[in-house]
């Protein structure tokens, strides 16, 4: 039998450096929650035992990445580290023009500043919030076109990250001339970390080509998306993961990428294009804000770590473990009575707080009630994706995102056990009200209080 065919999931790595995690008692957690105004964004990291706030920049680098740091060439222009990164990105994506940037939203900002004008429209399966903010900042309109299945947590379709092709067709027919570009976010983070199928990528690409509209990828989780195509889509089981990734990139005209996810680095991103004229605009804008185009706001050593991480992310043993461990997490939560979004996504489990706490109405923030209970019981931190984050939200979710290569199966079992205790007190959990909130992106800093 091969190691991954056993019931027990083993991490396909062993641990060379360890980092202590804080082990607080309940009284200390209660005090911390009070001090933080019941907003887990305002907790200090040393008050959190298991931190599932994000999978972004929180991964563990490999021994190969740490040793690559030492090879960093810190030359201001034309460094060897840039050449190594560029060669890796060329092989991975085929894009001729490659720009490093300090993180994903820097790529989005440069793209928006150079390509968008106020009367324009951007179509996306679902814009991530920074992508939407950058589009709107340029005065353009950000339109989401998810498939209907994405709105139903019980729908088990394999590719709920797909774009709705009928709506894309009519948007291109009605407003084609105003559409600056079409983007597919892989995987669709704002819609549950759900993957996009190769069939959908091909169809979107063909529709864009027919209309002469540029087609871009938000490739933050390209490797996890490739794994789902490999395992869920007919005809791809025999394809290698790099071949699937290359086929995805081949269908598009360029990408933005936060390398803090599937690049498995603590900081870094990419902006790529096939269009020489766009590349010239990107270069000039990048120099204004990020630095010289061969380092883009990063150190040479960061470019080295990114070059290694982008390749490691497509390792089959790693991706099998990654997808299996997220599914294990979702199965465990469901077993102890927590409703979750199906099927489990590539980087996180989304808990349905609205269904677990039907006595707490949406305006009393059931996601916050669940989130604070998870913290109070076991020091677990996640993020609310419901009425606090989006006042118009249809679902009241809590996202527990899993950092790459950081927590073991025992940590996940602990989170499941804590969740079981929260389920036992679900009826007694109360809603929250907002005491103070900032003018925008209120979830980051709002102060809350429990409703008596
Ligand atoms: N696109 C997607 C799909 C993302 O998930 C993120 C970040 C970005 C772009 C922006 O990249 O953070 O490097 O500037 N997502 C993080 C998260 C913050 O927690 O999901 P960035």
């Amino acid at each position: 039998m091969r190691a991954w065919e056993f019931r027990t999931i083993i991490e396909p790595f062993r641990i060379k450096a360890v980092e202590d995690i804080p082990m607080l008692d309940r009284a200390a957690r209660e005090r911390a929650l009070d001090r933080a105004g019941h907003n887990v964004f305002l907790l200090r990291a040393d008050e959190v035992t298991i931190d599932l706030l994000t999978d972004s920049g929180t991964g563990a680098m490999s021994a190969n990445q740490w040793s690559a740091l030492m090879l960093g060439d810190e030359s201001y222009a034309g460094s060897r580290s840039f050449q190594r990164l560029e060669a890796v990105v060329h092989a991975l994506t085929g894009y001729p023009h490659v720009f490093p940037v300090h993180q994903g939203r820097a790529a989005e900002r440069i793209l928006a500043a150079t390509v968008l004008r106020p009367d324009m429209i951007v179509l996306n399966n679902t814009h991530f919030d920074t992508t939407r903010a950058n589009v709107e900042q340029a005065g353009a309109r950000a339109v989401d076109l998810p498939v209907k299945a994405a709105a139903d947590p019980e729908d088990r379709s394999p590719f709920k990250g797909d774009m709705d092709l009928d709506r894309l067709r009519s948007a291109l027919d009605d407003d084609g001339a105003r559409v600056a570009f079409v983007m597919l976010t892989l995987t669709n983070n704002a819609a549950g970390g759900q993957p996009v199928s190769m069939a959908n990528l091909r169809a979107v690409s063909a529709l864009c080509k027919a209309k002469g509209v540029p087609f871009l990828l938000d490739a933050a989780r390209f490797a996890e998306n490739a794994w789902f195509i490999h395992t869920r889509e007919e005809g791809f089981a025999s394809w290698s993961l790099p071949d699937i990734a290359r086929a995805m990139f081949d269908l598009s005209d360029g990408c933005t990428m936060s390398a803090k996810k599937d690049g498995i680095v603590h900081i870094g991103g990419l902006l790529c294009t096939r269009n020489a004229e766009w590349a010239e605009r990107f270069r000039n804008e990048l120099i204004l804000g990020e630095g010289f185009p061969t380092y883009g706001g990063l150190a040479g050593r960061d470019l080295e770590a990114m070059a290694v991480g982008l390749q490691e992310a497509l390792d089959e043993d790693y991706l099998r473990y990654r997808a299996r461990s997220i599914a294990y997490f979702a199965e465990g939560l469901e077993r102890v009575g927590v409703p979750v979004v199906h099927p489990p996504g590539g980087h996180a489990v989304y808990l349905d707080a609205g269904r677990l706490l039907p006595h707490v109405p949406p305006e009393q923030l059931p996601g916050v009630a669940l989130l604070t209970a998870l913290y109070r019981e076991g020091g677990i931190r996640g993020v609310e994706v419901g009425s606090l984050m989006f006042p118009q939200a249809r679902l009241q979710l809590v996202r527990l995102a899993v950092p790459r290569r950081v927590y073991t199966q025992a940590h996940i079992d602990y989170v499941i056990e804590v969740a079981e205790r929260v389920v036992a007190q679900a009826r007694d959990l109360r809603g929250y009200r907002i005491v103070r909130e900032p003018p925008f992106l209120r979830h980051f800093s709002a102060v809350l209080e429990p409703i008596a």
Side-chain angles (χ1 to χ4, degrees):
M1 218 150 81
R2 290 170 294 188
W4 68 81
E5 290 168 327
F6 286 80
R7 198 172 51 247
T8 307
I9 304 165
I10 60 166
E11 288 77 15
F13 48 80
R14 54 183 181 176
I15 296 163
K16 185 173 269 185
V18 298
E19 184 184 5
D20 291 343
I21 56 178
M23 306 281 239
L24 289 79
D25 62 19
R26 195 183 166 105
R29 292 194 295 262
E30 299 270 10
R31 280 196 302 277
L33 259 190
D34 279 338
R35 201 208 69 246
H38 301 270
N39 182 345
V40 294
F41 271 105
L42 303 180
L43 291 169
R44 296 196 309 257
D46 63 6
E47 293 167 333
V48 178
T49 302
I50 306 283
D51 202 345
L52 306 181
L53 188 66
T54 180
D55 64 321
S56 181
T58 52
M61 293 212 296
S62 66
N64 282 330
Q65 286 177 290
W66 285 110
S67 31
L69 292 183
M70 237 9 243
L71 301 175
D73 172 1
E74 307 302 343
S75 303
Y76 190 92
S79 89
R80 286 188 304 275
S81 301
F82 173 71
Q83 290 169 37
R84 268 192 287 270
L85 174 69
E86 193 186 34
V88 166
V89 178
H90 279 325
L92 173 68
T93 66
Y95 300 134
H97 306 286
V98 174
F99 299 99
V101 289
H102 82 274
Q103 63 183 81
R105 67 198 72 181
E108 294 162 3
R109 197 196 57 74
I110 293 168
L111 175 67
T114 54
V115 168
L116 296 181
R117 283 194 313 275
D119 53 334
M120 288 180 160
I121 298 172
V122 176
L123 307 173
N124 203 316
N125 46 352
T126 312
H127 289 84
F128 181 69
D129 54 15
T130 58
T131 323
R132 169 176 290 277
N134 275 298
V135 169
E136 291 175 350
Q137 183 67 24
R141 198 148 64 85
V143 178
D144 294 338
L145 304 175
V147 287
K148 283 196 191 67
D152 178 3
E154 281 302 310
D155 189 311
R156 300 185 189 229
S157 310
F159 291 103
K160 288 165 75 174
D162 282 355
M163 181 176 269
D164 187 320
L165 296 174
D166 290 333
R167 292 174 65 199
L168 172 62
R169 223 173 268 118
S170 45
L172 289 175
D173 284 344
D174 298 348
D175 282 318
R178 291 168 60 207
V179 176
F181 57 87
V182 174
M183 189 172 231
L184 280 177
T185 304
L186 316 174
T187 57
N188 195 348
N189 184 16
Q194 302 289 332
V196 178
S197 63
M198 191 68 84
N200 196 253
L201 278 150
R202 285 175 177 159
V204 171
S205 172
L207 283 168
C208 290
K209 208 159 263 142
K211 293 279 178 191
V213 172
F215 168 43
L216 307 180
L217 304 180
D218 175 341
R221 298 179 180 84
F222 73 96
E224 289 165 7
N225 202 88
W227 176 258
F228 287 120
I229 290 175
H230 181 60
T231 52
R232 292 183 183 174
E233 190 163 354
E234 217 184 309
F236 290 96
S238 63
W239 283 46
S240 76
L241 291 157
D243 283 352
I244 293 174
R246 180 59 188 263
M248 300 178 338
F249 289 114
D250 277 347
L251 289 165
S252 69
D253 301 305
C255 80
T256 58
M257 185 195 295
S258 168
K260 299 171 71 174
K261 285 78 169 175
D262 279 346
I264 326 186
V265 285
H266 302 134
I267 196 72
L270 291 168
L271 175 60
C272 304
T273 179
R274 295 186 201 286
N275 179 329
E277 198 257 319
W278 276 22
E280 193 52 38
R281 292 193 225 171
F282 294 170
R283 195 172 290 118
N284 293 327
E285 183 69 24
L286 189 147
I287 290 171
L288 273 180
E290 294 282 293
F292 197 72
T294 59
Y295 72 83
L298 296 166
R301 58 177 177 270
D302 299 327
L303 307 180
E304 297 281 353
M306 201 197 307
V308 177
L310 288 169
Q311 298 174 83
E312 290 181 352
L314 283 170
D315 178 79
E316 187 160 342
D317 290 331
Y318 159 71
L319 281 174
R320 180 186 300 107
Y321 139 81
R322 173 93 176 139
R324 182 70 199 96
S325 59
I326 305 275
Y328 173 89
F329 190 7
E331 288 155 17
L333 288 169
E334 196 156 47
R335 193 181 61 242
V336 301
V338 182
V340 300
V341 174
H342 290 285
H347 68 293
V349 181
Y350 292 70
L351 286 51
D352 192 339
R355 274 181 60 204
L356 180 67
L357 308 173
H359 58 285
V360 181
E363 64 278 10
Q364 294 185 11
L365 311 174
V368 172
L370 175 54
L371 207 52
T372 49
L374 287 166
Y375 178 74
R376 206 179 298 113
E377 274 313 307
I380 295 155
R381 175 156 74 169
V383 63
E384 193 258 11
V385 186
S387 298
L388 179 61
M389 188 181 270
F390 305 112
Q392 315 304 334
R394 274 176 303 175
L395 295 172
Q396 302 299 321
L397 305 178
V398 164
R399 183 186 80 171
L400 299 181
V402 183
R404 291 169 184 75
R405 309 190 290 206
V406 167
Y407 293 118
T408 65
Q409 192 172 343
H411 291 115
I412 297 300
D413 286 336
Y414 168 85
V415 177
I416 295 167
E417 187 179 339
V418 171
E420 186 170 16
R421 294 172 76 108
V422 169
V423 170
Q425 18 161 308
R427 268 177 233 265
D428 302 323
L429 294 181
R430 290 169 297 158
Y432 280 77
R433 80 165 67 84
I434 299 172
V435 182
R436 258 202 328 275
E437 61 179 297
F440 49 86
L441 292 173
R442 66 181 189 175
H443 53 289
F444 288 123
S445 51
V447 172
L448 310 162
E449 72 182 11
I451 294 170

